[in-house]
Amino acid sequence: MSPSRTLPNFSLAELASHNTTKSCYVTMGTRVFDVTDFIESHPGGEDLVLEYGGMDVTDILKDEVSHTHSQAAYEILEDSLVGFLATEKVIGAAAGSTHPDNILPLPATEEGAKELKQNGVVNRVPVFASTGMSSEEDLVKETDLVTDYKAHKFLDLNKPLLMQMWFGGFSKDFYLEQVHRPRHYKGGASAPLFGNFLEPLTKTAWWVVPTIWLPLVAYGTYIARAGCSSLLEEGAYWFLGLFLWTLVEYILHRFLFHLDKYLPDNRVALTLHFLLHGIHHYLPMDKLRLVMPPTLFLALATPFWKLAHFVFFWNWSIATSVFCGGIFGYICYDLTHYFLHHKNLPSYWRELKKYHLQHHFMDYENGFGVTSRFWDGVFGTEIAPPPVKTL
């Protein structure tokens, strides 16, 4: 048994003061947990954690409407135990009362923190075989880098990943099994990909996407106006492009990013797959590898520019309007993708968030729609509801 470790008692006033990004505490009953380090990594965004800063989270963790949290969420709390709440019972006992209601908490030992596992969650959380995950909280449970590498002999997250992929000699089956079992890099940072001066080129902040592409979409829409018979005609073709993007989004995600079964079993194909989309499934909460780098997007967008002008060959302006509508759809897609991973959102996007994160932790072979589930419904690739939790 671990030696005793006396933990402090906190008053309600002290607890309530810990509700900022610099210091955030929550409680479950009389147990107090410091979740400051978890704020930025929370799948629902930091606002949702701060909303309950200094408060009891017992009910929200079990709330089916919000999201029933998995074993991983409780384990994160377990590792963050910092003390106990000084309720009236505790204060009374500390003052020397002998009334049977005035009961102090059990001795604060490291072993005692394991009582979190006695909340009945452990035996009723399904684990999905394809990913080894239970729910979205598993996506942000920090991976022990040394233990993970020793156990799986896949990629050492302490070292640059690209050369490990190239020289790893992984079989296709082993690679696909490992890359779809998400890890979470320490401190929410980005794992090294090149490990040299090229590293910054692999990272893109979400705001780069609208900053670069929105002005170009606006300019393209403006110059296309001259060749259209009316504003209504241009608008109709622009929205046609926006609608077509939703189909392109689905096709790219399903048949390019997830062409898993059709990958050649060689290091060139596996490394390219890892760079294109595998790294996102391997490290799904990496904030700087969630949107497409401008250079990669330019390479992917160029064929669609040519395709638009081939299909709508009779009018350059109409083709440009369709293309601009499509690029606006892409901007919405990339921003939606980022916020689904990292922010708490209004009701419509909250359902999309659940759906997309299920694609990561539950069933990566379905659920390819990001901005909409429409095409998943059309092509029969919707994610089946998770199994009902039973005691």
Side-chain angles (χ1 to χ4, degrees), residues 138-180:
D138 289 335
L139 299 176
V140 296
K141 185 181 178 186
E142 192 165 290
T143 301
D144 185 315
L145 307 188
V146 175
T147 302
D148 180 73
Y149 182 65
K150 286 182 178 178
H152 297 286
K153 296 294 188 294
F154 180 47
L155 298 177
D156 184 349
L157 286 166
N158 284 306
K159 300 176 181 178
L161 302 178
L162 181 62
M163 288 298 100
Q164 293 184 73
M165 273 300 309
W166 184 256
F167 293 111
F170 307 124
S171 70
K172 171 182 167 180
D173 290 341
F174 176 77
Y175 163 76
L176 290 175
E177 177 188 1
Q178 291 298 318
V179 83
H180 289 301

mmCIF file of all heavy atoms in Angstrom, residues 138-180:
data_model
loop_
_atom_site.group_PDB
_atom_site.id
_atom_site.type_symbol
_atom_site.label_atom_id
_atom_site.label_comp_id
_atom_site.label_asym_id
_atom_site.label_seq_id
_atom_site.Cartn_x
_atom_site.Cartn_y
_atom_site.Cartn_z
ATOM 1 N N ASP A 138 -11.423 9.312 -24.098
ATOM 2 C CA ASP A 138 -10.206 8.537 -24.356
ATOM 3 C C ASP A 138 -9.288 9.234 -25.343
ATOM 4 O O ASP A 138 -8.087 8.987 -25.377
ATOM 5 C CB ASP A 138 -10.572 7.152 -24.908
ATOM 6 C CG ASP A 138 -11.206 6.268 -23.851
ATOM 7 O OD1 ASP A 138 -10.948 6.502 -22.661
ATOM 8 O OD2 ASP A 138 -11.965 5.359 -24.211
ATOM 9 N N LEU A 139 -9.860 10.100 -26.183
ATOM 10 C CA LEU A 139 -9.058 10.792 -27.184
ATOM 11 C C LEU A 139 -8.085 11.777 -26.545
ATOM 12 O O LEU A 139 -7.102 12.167 -27.162
ATOM 13 C CB LEU A 139 -9.967 11.549 -28.160
ATOM 14 C CG LEU A 139 -10.951 10.697 -28.971
ATOM 15 C CD1 LEU A 139 -11.839 11.596 -29.802
ATOM 16 C CD2 LEU A 139 -10.221 9.704 -29.844
ATOM 17 N N VAL A 140 -8.370 12.206 -25.319
ATOM 18 C CA VAL A 140 -7.526 13.213 -24.692
ATOM 19 C C VAL A 140 -6.864 12.706 -23.416
ATOM 20 O O VAL A 140 -6.260 13.477 -22.681
ATOM 21 C CB VAL A 140 -8.319 14.503 -24.374
ATOM 22 C CG1 VAL A 140 -8.805 15.149 -25.649
ATOM 23 C CG2 VAL A 140 -9.482 14.210 -23.444
ATOM 24 N N LYS A 141 -6.984 11.426 -23.159
ATOM 25 C CA LYS A 141 -6.272 10.871 -22.015
ATOM 26 C C LYS A 141 -4.803 10.747 -22.396
ATOM 27 O O LYS A 141 -4.441 10.035 -23.327
ATOM 28 C CB LYS A 141 -6.844 9.505 -21.636
ATOM 29 C CG LYS A 141 -6.233 8.937 -20.376
ATOM 30 C CD LYS A 141 -6.817 7.569 -20.062
ATOM 31 C CE LYS A 141 -6.141 6.998 -18.820
ATOM 32 N NZ LYS A 141 -6.582 5.609 -18.560
ATOM 33 N N GLU A 142 -3.951 11.471 -21.695
ATOM 34 C CA GLU A 142 -2.550 11.587 -22.092
ATOM 35 C C GLU A 142 -1.871 10.223 -22.165
ATOM 36 O O GLU A 142 -1.985 9.398 -21.264
ATOM 37 C CB GLU A 142 -1.798 12.489 -21.117
ATOM 38 C CG GLU A 142 -0.416 12.878 -21.621
ATOM 39 C CD GLU A 142 0.168 14.038 -20.838
ATOM 40 O OE1 GLU A 142 -0.344 15.164 -20.974
ATOM 41 O OE2 GLU A 142 1.126 13.801 -20.090
ATOM 42 N N THR A 143 -1.185 9.996 -23.261
ATOM 43 C CA THR A 143 -0.508 8.724 -23.492
ATOM 44 C C THR A 143 0.851 8.712 -22.804
ATOM 45 O O THR A 143 1.608 9.677 -22.902
ATOM 46 C CB THR A 143 -0.312 8.502 -25.011
ATOM 47 O OG1 THR A 143 -1.590 8.504 -25.648
ATOM 48 C CG2 THR A 143 0.395 7.182 -25.284
ATOM 49 N N ASP A 144 1.139 7.632 -22.125
ATOM 50 C CA ASP A 144 2.489 7.437 -21.583
ATOM 51 C C ASP A 144 3.379 7.024 -22.752
ATOM 52 O O ASP A 144 3.283 5.901 -23.258
ATOM 53 C CB ASP A 144 2.471 6.356 -20.495
ATOM 54 C CG ASP A 144 3.823 6.191 -19.812
ATOM 55 O OD1 ASP A 144 4.854 6.143 -20.529
ATOM 56 O OD2 ASP A 144 3.859 6.108 -18.574
ATOM 57 N N LEU A 145 4.216 7.945 -23.215
ATOM 58 C CA LEU A 145 4.954 7.738 -24.457
ATOM 59 C C LEU A 145 5.888 6.541 -24.393
ATOM 60 O O LEU A 145 6.004 5.771 -25.353
ATOM 61 C CB LEU A 145 5.738 9.004 -24.811
ATOM 62 C CG LEU A 145 4.936 10.309 -24.852
ATOM 63 C CD1 LEU A 145 5.800 11.433 -25.408
ATOM 64 C CD2 LEU A 145 3.671 10.160 -25.666
ATOM 65 N N VAL A 146 6.560 6.366 -23.275
ATOM 66 C CA VAL A 146 7.517 5.256 -23.142
ATOM 67 C C VAL A 146 6.784 3.931 -23.111
ATOM 68 O O VAL A 146 7.123 2.986 -23.829
ATOM 69 C CB VAL A 146 8.382 5.433 -21.877
ATOM 70 C CG1 VAL A 146 9.282 4.227 -21.686
ATOM 71 C CG2 VAL A 146 9.211 6.709 -21.982
ATOM 72 N N THR A 147 5.748 3.850 -22.285
ATOM 73 C CA THR A 147 4.990 2.605 -22.159
ATOM 74 C C THR A 147 4.309 2.238 -23.463
ATOM 75 O O THR A 147 4.282 1.066 -23.856
ATOM 76 C CB THR A 147 3.932 2.744 -21.046
ATOM 77 O OG1 THR A 147 4.580 3.067 -19.822
ATOM 78 C CG2 THR A 147 3.140 1.453 -20.877
ATOM 79 N N ASP A 148 3.757 3.236 -24.154
ATOM 80 C CA ASP A 148 3.058 2.974 -25.411
ATOM 81 C C ASP A 148 3.998 2.374 -26.448
ATOM 82 O O ASP A 148 3.641 1.411 -27.140
ATOM 83 C CB ASP A 148 2.457 4.276 -25.944
ATOM 84 C CG ASP A 148 1.720 4.077 -27.254
ATOM 85 O OD1 ASP A 148 0.629 3.497 -27.232
ATOM 86 O OD2 ASP A 148 2.254 4.500 -28.307
ATOM 87 N N TYR A 149 5.196 2.919 -26.547
ATOM 88 C CA TYR A 149 6.145 2.397 -27.541
ATOM 89 C C TYR A 149 6.610 0.991 -27.177
ATOM 90 O O TYR A 149 6.717 0.114 -28.048
ATOM 91 C CB TYR A 149 7.340 3.336 -27.660
ATOM 92 C CG TYR A 149 8.337 2.875 -28.695
ATOM 93 C CD1 TYR A 149 7.980 2.827 -30.042
ATOM 94 C CD2 TYR A 149 9.616 2.468 -28.328
ATOM 95 C CE1 TYR A 149 8.881 2.381 -31.002
ATOM 96 C CE2 TYR A 149 10.519 2.030 -29.280
ATOM 97 C CZ TYR A 149 10.142 1.988 -30.623
ATOM 98 O OH TYR A 149 11.033 1.542 -31.566
ATOM 99 N N LYS A 150 6.855 0.767 -25.905
ATOM 100 C CA LYS A 150 7.276 -0.569 -25.476
ATOM 101 C C LYS A 150 6.195 -1.607 -25.732
ATOM 102 O O LYS A 150 6.472 -2.743 -26.115
ATOM 103 C CB LYS A 150 7.643 -0.558 -23.992
ATOM 104 C CG LYS A 150 8.970 0.124 -23.673
ATOM 105 C CD LYS A 150 9.277 0.052 -22.184
ATOM 106 C CE LYS A 150 10.631 0.682 -21.869
ATOM 107 N NZ LYS A 150 10.920 0.647 -20.412
ATOM 108 N N ALA A 151 4.943 -1.202 -25.524
ATOM 109 C CA ALA A 151 3.834 -2.137 -25.658
ATOM 110 C C ALA A 151 3.505 -2.452 -27.105
ATOM 111 O O ALA A 151 3.212 -3.596 -27.456
ATOM 112 C CB ALA A 151 2.600 -1.578 -24.947
ATOM 113 N N HIS A 152 3.548 -1.432 -27.988
ATOM 114 C CA HIS A 152 3.052 -1.606 -29.351
ATOM 115 C C HIS A 152 4.142 -1.667 -30.411
ATOM 116 O O HIS A 152 3.881 -2.131 -31.528
ATOM 117 C CB HIS A 152 2.072 -0.483 -29.683
ATOM 118 C CG HIS A 152 0.854 -0.473 -28.819
ATOM 119 N ND1 HIS A 152 -0.162 -1.387 -28.958
ATOM 120 C CD2 HIS A 152 0.490 0.333 -27.782
ATOM 121 C CE1 HIS A 152 -1.103 -1.145 -28.063
ATOM 122 N NE2 HIS A 152 -0.727 -0.105 -27.331
ATOM 123 N N LYS A 153 5.337 -1.171 -30.101
ATOM 124 C CA LYS A 153 6.447 -1.175 -31.075
ATOM 125 C C LYS A 153 6.028 -0.544 -32.399
ATOM 126 O O LYS A 153 6.348 -1.034 -33.482
ATOM 127 C CB LYS A 153 6.939 -2.615 -31.315
ATOM 128 C CG LYS A 153 7.529 -3.271 -30.090
ATOM 129 C CD LYS A 153 8.812 -2.594 -29.655
ATOM 130 C CE LYS A 153 9.523 -3.355 -28.561
ATOM 131 N NZ LYS A 153 8.777 -3.382 -27.290
ATOM 132 N N PHE A 154 5.287 0.565 -32.291
ATOM 133 C CA PHE A 154 4.860 1.267 -33.507
ATOM 134 C C PHE A 154 5.690 2.528 -33.681
ATOM 135 O O PHE A 154 6.779 2.483 -34.275
ATOM 136 C CB PHE A 154 3.362 1.567 -33.429
ATOM 137 C CG PHE A 154 2.821 2.286 -34.642
ATOM 138 C CD1 PHE A 154 3.136 1.856 -35.927
ATOM 139 C CD2 PHE A 154 1.970 3.372 -34.498
ATOM 140 C CE1 PHE A 154 2.642 2.516 -37.045
ATOM 141 C CE2 PHE A 154 1.455 4.033 -35.606
ATOM 142 C CZ PHE A 154 1.797 3.611 -36.876
ATOM 143 N N LEU A 155 5.244 3.661 -33.161
ATOM 144 C CA LEU A 155 5.980 4.908 -33.289
ATOM 145 C C LEU A 155 6.338 5.440 -31.911
ATOM 146 O O LEU A 155 5.501 5.440 -31.007
ATOM 147 C CB LEU A 155 5.140 5.954 -34.039
ATOM 148 C CG LEU A 155 4.744 5.610 -35.477
ATOM 149 C CD1 LEU A 155 3.853 6.713 -36.047
ATOM 150 C CD2 LEU A 155 5.971 5.414 -36.356
ATOM 151 N N ASP A 156 7.569 5.880 -31.777
ATOM 152 C CA ASP A 156 8.028 6.501 -30.539
ATOM 153 C C ASP A 156 7.720 7.990 -30.640
ATOM 154 O O ASP A 156 8.345 8.715 -31.415
ATOM 155 C CB ASP A 156 9.533 6.271 -30.366
ATOM 156 C CG ASP A 156 10.060 6.815 -29.041
ATOM 157 O OD1 ASP A 156 9.314 7.553 -28.362
ATOM 158 O OD2 ASP A 156 11.217 6.506 -28.699
ATOM 159 N N LEU A 157 6.753 8.440 -29.851
ATOM 160 C CA LEU A 157 6.313 9.835 -29.931
ATOM 161 C C LEU A 157 7.345 10.816 -29.389
ATOM 162 O O LEU A 157 7.154 12.030 -29.497
ATOM 163 C CB LEU A 157 4.985 10.003 -29.201
ATOM 164 C CG LEU A 157 3.772 9.424 -29.935
ATOM 165 C CD1 LEU A 157 2.569 9.314 -29.007
ATOM 166 C CD2 LEU A 157 3.423 10.271 -31.145
ATOM 167 N N ASN A 158 8.415 10.303 -28.810
ATOM 168 C CA ASN A 158 9.501 11.175 -28.365
ATOM 169 C C ASN A 158 10.431 11.547 -29.512
ATOM 170 O O ASN A 158 11.284 12.414 -29.364
ATOM 171 C CB ASN A 158 10.313 10.488 -27.260
ATOM 172 C CG ASN A 158 9.593 10.506 -25.917
ATOM 173 O OD1 ASN A 158 9.195 11.563 -25.437
ATOM 174 N ND2 ASN A 158 9.414 9.332 -25.328
ATOM 175 N N LYS A 159 10.284 10.878 -30.649
ATOM 176 C CA LYS A 159 11.195 11.082 -31.778
ATOM 177 C C LYS A 159 10.406 11.480 -33.021
ATOM 178 O O LYS A 159 9.205 11.221 -33.118
ATOM 179 C CB LYS A 159 11.983 9.794 -32.042
ATOM 180 C CG LYS A 159 12.826 9.333 -30.857
ATOM 181 C CD LYS A 159 13.507 8.006 -31.164
ATOM 182 C CE LYS A 159 14.339 7.522 -29.982
ATOM 183 N NZ LYS A 159 14.962 6.203 -30.255
ATOM 184 N N PRO A 160 11.078 12.103 -34.025
ATOM 185 C CA PRO A 160 10.386 12.475 -35.261
ATOM 186 C C PRO A 160 9.684 11.277 -35.904
ATOM 187 O O PRO A 160 10.259 10.182 -36.017
ATOM 188 C CB PRO A 160 11.514 13.006 -36.149
ATOM 189 C CG PRO A 160 12.531 13.525 -35.177
ATOM 190 C CD PRO A 160 12.479 12.574 -34.018
ATOM 191 N N LEU A 161 8.441 11.481 -36.343
ATOM 192 C CA LEU A 161 7.596 10.378 -36.779
ATOM 193 C C LEU A 161 7.833 9.967 -38.235
ATOM 194 O O LEU A 161 7.690 8.792 -38.577
ATOM 195 C CB LEU A 161 6.124 10.763 -36.605
ATOM 196 C CG LEU A 161 5.689 11.153 -35.181
ATOM 197 C CD1 LEU A 161 4.219 11.554 -35.180
ATOM 198 C CD2 LEU A 161 5.938 10.004 -34.210
ATOM 199 N N LEU A 162 8.174 10.915 -39.099
ATOM 200 C CA LEU A 162 8.241 10.624 -40.527
ATOM 201 C C LEU A 162 9.248 9.529 -40.848
ATOM 202 O O LEU A 162 8.930 8.562 -41.553
ATOM 203 C CB LEU A 162 8.576 11.894 -41.311
ATOM 204 C CG LEU A 162 8.655 11.716 -42.835
ATOM 205 C CD1 LEU A 162 7.313 11.276 -43.391
ATOM 206 C CD2 LEU A 162 9.105 12.998 -43.509
ATOM 207 N N MET A 163 10.460 9.649 -40.336
ATOM 208 C CA MET A 163 11.477 8.659 -40.631
ATOM 209 C C MET A 163 11.162 7.303 -39.989
ATOM 210 O O MET A 163 11.517 6.258 -40.523
ATOM 211 C CB MET A 163 12.853 9.159 -40.161
ATOM 212 C CG MET A 163 13.426 10.289 -41.011
ATOM 213 S SD MET A 163 13.719 9.807 -42.759
ATOM 214 C CE MET A 163 12.276 10.483 -43.583
ATOM 215 N N GLN A 164 10.466 7.348 -38.856
ATOM 216 C CA GLN A 164 10.045 6.082 -38.246
ATOM 217 C C GLN A 164 9.042 5.358 -39.147
ATOM 218 O O GLN A 164 9.080 4.137 -39.267
ATOM 219 C CB GLN A 164 9.414 6.330 -36.881
ATOM 220 C CG GLN A 164 10.382 6.842 -35.822
ATOM 221 C CD GLN A 164 9.705 6.969 -34.473
ATOM 222 O OE1 GLN A 164 9.427 5.972 -33.810
ATOM 223 N NE2 GLN A 164 9.424 8.207 -34.068
ATOM 224 N N MET A 165 8.139 6.146 -39.761
ATOM 225 C CA MET A 165 7.187 5.542 -40.696
ATOM 226 C C MET A 165 7.918 4.958 -41.903
ATOM 227 O O MET A 165 7.619 3.849 -42.349
ATOM 228 C CB MET A 165 6.181 6.599 -41.168
ATOM 229 C CG MET A 165 4.976 6.777 -40.281
ATOM 230 S SD MET A 165 3.982 5.281 -40.072
ATOM 231 C CE MET A 165 3.722 4.770 -41.774
ATOM 232 N N TRP A 166 8.889 5.716 -42.412
ATOM 233 C CA TRP A 166 9.569 5.297 -43.642
ATOM 234 C C TRP A 166 10.420 4.048 -43.418
ATOM 235 O O TRP A 166 10.441 3.145 -44.247
ATOM 236 C CB TRP A 166 10.425 6.448 -44.155
ATOM 237 C CG TRP A 166 11.097 6.159 -45.471
ATOM 238 C CD1 TRP A 166 12.401 5.854 -45.692
ATOM 239 C CD2 TRP A 166 10.466 6.142 -46.745
ATOM 240 N NE1 TRP A 166 12.638 5.650 -47.023
ATOM 241 C CE2 TRP A 166 11.457 5.820 -47.705
ATOM 242 C CE3 TRP A 166 9.162 6.364 -47.187
ATOM 243 C CZ2 TRP A 166 11.187 5.716 -49.061
ATOM 244 C CZ3 TRP A 166 8.894 6.273 -48.550
ATOM 245 C CH2 TRP A 166 9.899 5.950 -49.466
ATOM 246 N N PHE A 167 11.116 3.999 -42.297
ATOM 247 C CA PHE A 167 12.029 2.882 -42.049
ATOM 248 C C PHE A 167 11.447 1.821 -41.103
ATOM 249 O O PHE A 167 12.141 0.880 -40.745
ATOM 250 C CB PHE A 167 13.344 3.408 -41.452
ATOM 251 C CG PHE A 167 14.155 4.244 -42.407
ATOM 252 C CD1 PHE A 167 14.308 5.610 -42.193
ATOM 253 C CD2 PHE A 167 14.743 3.675 -43.526
ATOM 254 C CE1 PHE A 167 15.048 6.389 -43.067
ATOM 255 C CE2 PHE A 167 15.490 4.443 -44.415
ATOM 256 C CZ PHE A 167 15.638 5.803 -44.189
ATOM 257 N N GLY A 168 10.176 1.981 -40.713
ATOM 258 C CA GLY A 168 9.606 1.082 -39.705
ATOM 259 C C GLY A 168 9.376 -0.336 -40.174
ATOM 260 O O GLY A 168 9.325 -1.264 -39.359
ATOM 261 N N GLY A 169 9.201 -0.531 -41.484
ATOM 262 C CA GLY A 169 8.943 -1.872 -41.988
ATOM 263 C C GLY A 169 7.592 -2.422 -41.545
ATOM 264 O O GLY A 169 7.409 -3.642 -41.436
ATOM 265 N N PHE A 170 6.609 -1.545 -41.305
ATOM 266 C CA PHE A 170 5.308 -1.992 -40.817
ATOM 267 C C PHE A 170 4.504 -2.651 -41.937
ATOM 268 O O PHE A 170 4.520 -2.196 -43.077
ATOM 269 C CB PHE A 170 4.504 -0.806 -40.273
ATOM 270 C CG PHE A 170 5.236 0.015 -39.254
ATOM 271 C CD1 PHE A 170 5.411 1.380 -39.426
ATOM 272 C CD2 PHE A 170 5.767 -0.577 -38.107
ATOM 273 C CE1 PHE A 170 6.077 2.150 -38.498
ATOM 274 C CE2 PHE A 170 6.442 0.185 -37.167
ATOM 275 C CZ PHE A 170 6.611 1.547 -37.363
ATOM 276 N N SER A 171 3.786 -3.696 -41.585
ATOM 277 C CA SER A 171 2.845 -4.265 -42.536
ATOM 278 C C SER A 171 1.617 -3.372 -42.590
ATOM 279 O O SER A 171 1.338 -2.603 -41.658
ATOM 280 C CB SER A 171 2.432 -5.681 -42.110
ATOM 281 O OG SER A 171 1.617 -5.626 -40.940
ATOM 282 N N LYS A 172 0.864 -3.473 -43.660
ATOM 283 C CA LYS A 172 -0.344 -2.659 -43.817
ATOM 284 C C LYS A 172 -1.337 -2.932 -42.688
ATOM 285 O O LYS A 172 -1.897 -1.993 -42.105
ATOM 286 C CB LYS A 172 -0.979 -2.963 -45.172
ATOM 287 C CG LYS A 172 -2.355 -2.352 -45.373
ATOM 288 C CD LYS A 172 -2.913 -2.771 -46.734
ATOM 289 C CE LYS A 172 -4.391 -2.459 -46.840
ATOM 290 N NZ LYS A 172 -4.948 -2.858 -48.153
ATOM 291 N N ASP A 173 -1.566 -4.199 -42.365
ATOM 292 C CA ASP A 173 -2.537 -4.538 -41.320
ATOM 293 C C ASP A 173 -2.113 -3.977 -39.968
ATOM 294 O O ASP A 173 -2.939 -3.433 -39.223
ATOM 295 C CB ASP A 173 -2.713 -6.057 -41.222
ATOM 296 C CG ASP A 173 -3.448 -6.634 -42.427
ATOM 297 O OD1 ASP A 173 -4.119 -5.855 -43.133
ATOM 298 O OD2 ASP A 173 -3.341 -7.854 -42.658
ATOM 299 N N PHE A 174 -0.840 -4.097 -39.637
ATOM 300 C CA PHE A 174 -0.355 -3.582 -38.359
ATOM 301 C C PHE A 174 -0.454 -2.062 -38.320
ATOM 302 O O PHE A 174 -0.894 -1.477 -37.326
ATOM 303 C CB PHE A 174 1.099 -4.021 -38.135
ATOM 304 C CG PHE A 174 1.709 -3.447 -36.887
ATOM 305 C CD1 PHE A 174 1.390 -3.961 -35.641
ATOM 306 C CD2 PHE A 174 2.603 -2.384 -36.957
ATOM 307 C CE1 PHE A 174 1.947 -3.429 -34.482
ATOM 308 C CE2 PHE A 174 3.170 -1.852 -35.808
ATOM 309 C CZ PHE A 174 2.837 -2.379 -34.571
ATOM 310 N N TYR A 175 -0.073 -1.423 -39.424
ATOM 311 C CA TYR A 175 -0.142 0.035 -39.488
ATOM 312 C C TYR A 175 -1.567 0.534 -39.277
ATOM 313 O O TYR A 175 -1.813 1.444 -38.482
ATOM 314 C CB TYR A 175 0.388 0.524 -40.838
ATOM 315 C CG TYR A 175 -0.003 1.942 -41.161
ATOM 316 C CD1 TYR A 175 0.624 3.020 -40.543
ATOM 317 C CD2 TYR A 175 -1.040 2.213 -42.061
ATOM 318 C CE1 TYR A 175 0.243 4.331 -40.816
ATOM 319 C CE2 TYR A 175 -1.418 3.509 -42.346
ATOM 320 C CZ TYR A 175 -0.783 4.568 -41.712
ATOM 321 O OH TYR A 175 -1.173 5.856 -41.988
ATOM 322 N N LEU A 176 -2.533 -0.055 -39.990
ATOM 323 C CA LEU A 176 -3.920 0.398 -39.887
ATOM 324 C C LEU A 176 -4.483 0.158 -38.489
ATOM 325 O O LEU A 176 -5.233 0.978 -37.959
ATOM 326 C CB LEU A 176 -4.789 -0.313 -40.929
ATOM 327 C CG LEU A 176 -4.532 0.097 -42.386
ATOM 328 C CD1 LEU A 176 -5.361 -0.759 -43.338
ATOM 329 C CD2 LEU A 176 -4.831 1.577 -42.606
ATOM 330 N N GLU A 177 -4.095 -0.943 -37.874
ATOM 331 C CA GLU A 177 -4.556 -1.209 -36.515
ATOM 332 C C GLU A 177 -4.030 -0.153 -35.557
ATOM 333 O O GLU A 177 -4.762 0.364 -34.707
ATOM 334 C CB GLU A 177 -4.093 -2.593 -36.053
ATOM 335 C CG GLU A 177 -4.477 -2.899 -34.610
ATOM 336 C CD GLU A 177 -3.848 -4.177 -34.096
ATOM 337 O OE1 GLU A 177 -3.097 -4.835 -34.847
ATOM 338 O OE2 GLU A 177 -4.085 -4.508 -32.923
ATOM 339 N N GLN A 178 -2.781 0.207 -35.691
ATOM 340 C CA GLN A 178 -2.159 1.149 -34.761
ATOM 341 C C GLN A 178 -2.574 2.589 -35.014
ATOM 342 O O GLN A 178 -2.842 3.345 -34.079
ATOM 343 C CB GLN A 178 -0.627 1.031 -34.844
ATOM 344 C CG GLN A 178 -0.073 -0.265 -34.300
ATOM 345 C CD GLN A 178 -0.386 -0.426 -32.823
ATOM 346 O OE1 GLN A 178 -0.296 0.510 -32.039
ATOM 347 N NE2 GLN A 178 -0.750 -1.638 -32.434
ATOM 348 N N VAL A 179 -2.652 2.988 -36.268
ATOM 349 C CA VAL A 179 -2.909 4.402 -36.564
ATOM 350 C C VAL A 179 -4.341 4.788 -36.205
ATOM 351 O O VAL A 179 -4.635 5.969 -35.982
ATOM 352 C CB VAL A 179 -2.600 4.702 -38.044
ATOM 353 C CG1 VAL A 179 -3.778 4.342 -38.957
ATOM 354 C CG2 VAL A 179 -2.188 6.155 -38.235
ATOM 355 N N HIS A 180 -5.223 3.794 -36.117
ATOM 356 C CA HIS A 180 -6.608 4.085 -35.747
ATOM 357 C C HIS A 180 -6.882 3.851 -34.267
ATOM 358 O O HIS A 180 -8.045 3.828 -33.854
ATOM 359 C CB HIS A 180 -7.559 3.251 -36.607
ATOM 360 C CG HIS A 180 -7.607 3.697 -38.036
ATOM 361 N ND1 HIS A 180 -7.982 4.970 -38.397
ATOM 362 C CD2 HIS A 180 -7.294 3.063 -39.193
ATOM 363 C CE1 HIS A 180 -7.916 5.092 -39.717
ATOM 364 N NE2 HIS A 180 -7.499 3.952 -40.219
#
